[in-house]
Amino acid sequence: MTEPVRWTRAAVYPDMWVDPDEDPRNTDGVSPDGELATLLDYTASYRTTLLMKCEGLDPEQLARRSVPPSTMSLLGLVRHLAEVEREWRGWVSDDDGEPALYGGHDADFDGAVADRRVVDEAYANLAREQAATDAVLARHPDLGERLGADRVAVREVLVHRIEEYARHCGHADLLRERIDGRTGQ
């Protein structure tokens, strides 16, 4: 495999993923008011970033592993984040939660194979699980409210969600650059 050359399509700032006026994460420059709105804004931004890192790749590229022994791939990250969205709902539920989407330990990464059906299913699962988690959390706007068997605060779930997406967006930066040289922002 030949080493990819670093590249970007941005013209304003050549080290950025896209130009500021084309970036779907950019707003009018005004940050949201309030803690809840800020947490939701960061969540939306990182979710969009993950999708941007996967944009324009075929199933083989999405399923391409990083470096041995890691099983991490962009497709694996999409599947993993769908899985954890489902898990977070279990944190705030009084019941046992829903069964895992992909099975046991690391099945989200191990099952990330270069197949269009697997890719389409992963994106559909991610969108569905995100919407379901958003709907559950929207019923609890008090960030200090404690939910579930472990009495976890809503704030903790929201902050943990941001942390999880941010960490994996960092992984996605490196994975994407290894695939085709595209650098992140």
Side-chain angles (χ1 to χ4, degrees), residues 114-135:
D115 179 297
R116 173 53 57 195
R117 183 190 58 75
V118 173
V119 170
D120 293 344
E121 179 183 73
Y123 280 107
N125 285 343
L126 180 62
R128 183 190 65 246
E129 297 301 321
Q130 288 172 336
T133 302
D134 291 347

Side-chain angles (χ1 to χ4, degrees), residues 23 28 132 146 181:
D23 192 333
D28 59 6
R146 296 194 169 273

Side-chain angles (χ1 to χ4, degrees), residues 3-98:
E3 294 292 319
V5 177
R6 293 186 86 186
W7 71 278
T8 180
R9 70 176 185 215
V12 176
Y13 304 107
D15 63 334
M16 295 178 82
W17 187 263
V18 296
D19 287 326
D21 58 349
E22 295 176 15
D23 192 333
R25 300 165 300 181
N26 282 354
T27 61
D28 59 6
V30 177
S31 61
D33 289 329
E35 185 180 5
L36 178 58
T38 299
L39 293 170
L40 295 175
D41 186 59
Y42 269 83
T43 300
S45 179
Y46 281 119
R47 285 174 169 176
T48 300
T49 299
L50 177 71
L51 296 177
M52 289 172 71
K53 300 301 174 182
C54 298
E55 191 173 85
L57 298 177
D58 64 33
E60 185 280 323
Q61 291 169 312
L62 287 167
R64 192 175 297 166
R65 310 292 186 191
S66 58
V67 292
S70 176
T71 59
M72 190 175 292
S73 66
L74 288 169
L75 180 57
L77 289 175
V78 170
R79 289 166 51 98
H80 172 70
L81 287 163
E83 193 76 78
V84 296
E85 288 279 357
R86 178 175 278 215
E87 184 178 311
W88 290 325
R89 289 196 310 280
W91 289 11
V92 299
S93 174
D94 289 326
D95 59 28
D96 291 335
E98 301 170 76

